[in-house]
Amino acid sequence: MSSEALSPVRRRRRRRTLTVLLVASLCGGTGAATYAALSPDGSSPVNPTPPGPTGSTVAAPVSFTDAQAGSCLNWTQDGPVTRDIVTVDCAQPHRFEVATREDLSQYPTSEFGPDAPQPDLQRQQQLTEELCTAPTTDYLGGKLDPTGRYTISPILPPAEGWAAGDRTMLCGVMVTDADGTALEVTGVAAGSDQSRFSAVDTCVRAVGDTASEVPCDQPHSWQVTKVVNLADNFTGAWPTVDEQNRWLSGVCQTAAVDYLGGGDAGDEALYQSTLVPFWTSMTEDSWDAGSRTVNCALTKDSAGPEGQSFAEIVGDVRGAFTLDGQAPEPQPARNPRR
């Protein structure tokens, strides 16, 4: 059956299902291949040089950081180059939270000896699985949302530190964008809601199996109207997607009307916009990991080629905007108004 033969309700439900799969495909869980290892360019040691063995004048390699489990790190991101890595209070903006500190020189092979090159991306991903995943999951209380906001990744020393013999590897979590760049966040990951969601007013563009936040004056697929905590209505075991849909349909309809002005004016604005309320839902694995947060948004089905799911919105939906390059078609008067 073609999408044109589906009722509006069924078409919207199919759209929501697509979005659940889309969100599930984003960077979550262990993402070493996306952001395999951070080497802060030109970062200076924050540890004093430790003494060598008694009577020795040979200093042990200085670690590029003294960060331990529970430390949070931030740095300056200049395109692909990172520099000036510092330890900060986790209540302050940061890009990485340390779960464990590993010394690769103690790895039970000669792979990381004095003259060894830094591991390539494939080896870094293996090291993430071998050395980071289990202790980082333990650090998070044994719960990692597989489609959540946190990605498990390692940080290796800068090239000059590695060449000088530093074999420190930090394992921890960060939040990345669709390109794998670490974003600034606040608060401690351990014990937090790991849901991947966007703030109210955010515009999100979905392309293929990735979604990224973009300015609303750029083409996007939906605009967020509300952040919803499923725990406000559901307790205990995971509510099925159908159960979530039945509740969120009313919540997100109200959110859409309120977002566009509230009352009769908001209801009329929603009708004239031709947009429809839209929401994300929570998978059972995410629920079991403690995630509870989803989004309400406004979107529109695509009238474009097969395989294009969302109309291309440009502009803030509370003002002048276009759908696939055209202003929304004026809708006929309703009597009685819905």
Side-chain angles (χ1 to χ4, degrees):
M1 181 181 293
S2 70
S3 61
E4 286 74 12
L6 297 173
S7 70
V9 172
R10 288 189 62 195
R11 292 182 71 189
R12 286 197 291 273
R13 181 168 296 173
R14 209 170 90 169
R15 176 69 46 74
R16 291 193 295 271
T17 302
L18 171 66
T19 301
V20 171
L21 296 175
L22 177 72
V23 172
S25 71
L26 298 178
C27 309
T30 56
T34 342
Y35 192 83
L38 171 71
S39 295
D41 182 49
S43 59
S44 58
V46 295
N47 271 348
T49 302
T54 303
S56 170
T57 58
V58 178
V62 177
S63 172
F64 75 98
T65 177
D66 61 356
Q68 303 290 335
S71 298
C72 289
L73 305 177
N74 206 358
W75 55 81
T76 300
Q77 191 73 48
D78 184 10
V81 177
T82 59
R83 53 174 60 92
D84 303 326
I85 188 169
V86 293
T87 303
V88 298
D89 189 296
C90 293
Q92 301 302 313
H94 59 272
R95 301 179 193 269
F96 192 85
E97 184 173 336
V98 181
T100 185
R101 182 186 179 98
E102 301 290 339
D103 182 357
L104 293 180
S105 70
Q106 303 301 310
Y107 201 75
T109 71
S110 58
E111 179 181 2
F112 303 113
D115 299 321
Q118 282 190 323
D120 61 19
L121 291 181
Q122 182 178 1
R123 186 65 181 115
Q124 290 166 22
Q125 185 162 7
Q126 293 169 348
L127 288 170
T128 301
E129 294 292 341
E130 294 168 15
L131 300 177
C132 293
T133 300
T136 301
T137 303
D138 289 344
Y139 172 79
L140 295 172
K143 296 181 177 180
L144 178 66
D145 184 342
T147 62
R149 61 199 300 248
Y150 292 111
T151 299
I152 297 178
S153 291
I155 292 182
L156 293 177
E160 63 272 21
W162 183 275
D166 184 6
R167 295 297 182 264
T168 304
M169 184 175 80
L170 302 179
C171 297
V173 293
M174 58 188 171
V175 177
T176 62
D177 64 13
D179 297 324
T181 301
L183 304 176
E184 288 189 323
V185 298
T186 57
V188 177
S192 70
D193 185 327
Q194 299 178 24
S195 308
R196 183 181 290 273
F197 64 93
S198 298
V200 173
D201 300 336
T202 302
C203 292
V204 179
R205 179 171 175 77
V207 178
D209 61 356
T210 62
S212 54
E213 297 180 355
V214 297
C216 290
D217 60 2
Q218 295 181 13
H220 55 275
S221 306
W222 63 82
Q223 185 166 334
V224 176
T225 59
K226 187 178 180 67
V227 175
V228 182
N229 186 349
L230 291 175
D232 290 343
N233 190 66
F234 301 104
T235 59
W238 171 70
T240 66
V241 172
D242 282 345
E243 289 171 332
Q244 294 176 53
N245 283 345
R246 283 194 290 272
W247 183 59
L248 289 170
S249 62
V251 171
C252 293
Q253 175 72 28
T254 299
V257 171
D258 290 345
Y259 193 71
L260 296 179
D264 288 345
D267 180 73
E268 181 65 14
L270 176 60
Y271 173 64
Q272 292 296 335
S273 75
T274 73
L275 299 170
V276 293
F278 163 84
W279 54 90
T280 57
S281 55
M282 185 72 60
T283 65
E284 186 171 8
D285 285 345
S286 295
W287 180 271
D288 290 344
S291 294
R292 295 292 185 271
T293 308
V294 296
N295 277 140
C296 294
L298 283 168
T299 190
K300 187 174 176 66
D301 285 335
S302 173
E306 184 69 25
Q308 181 179 324
S309 297
F310 299 96
E312 190 173 85
I313 306 171
V314 176
D316 189 319
V317 298
R318 293 165 296 184
F321 67 94
T322 60
L323 296 166
D324 290 332
Q326 303 294 322
E329 259 185 58
Q331 300 299 294
R334 297 176 293 172
N335 189 21
R337 294 176 64 185
R338 286 188 288 188

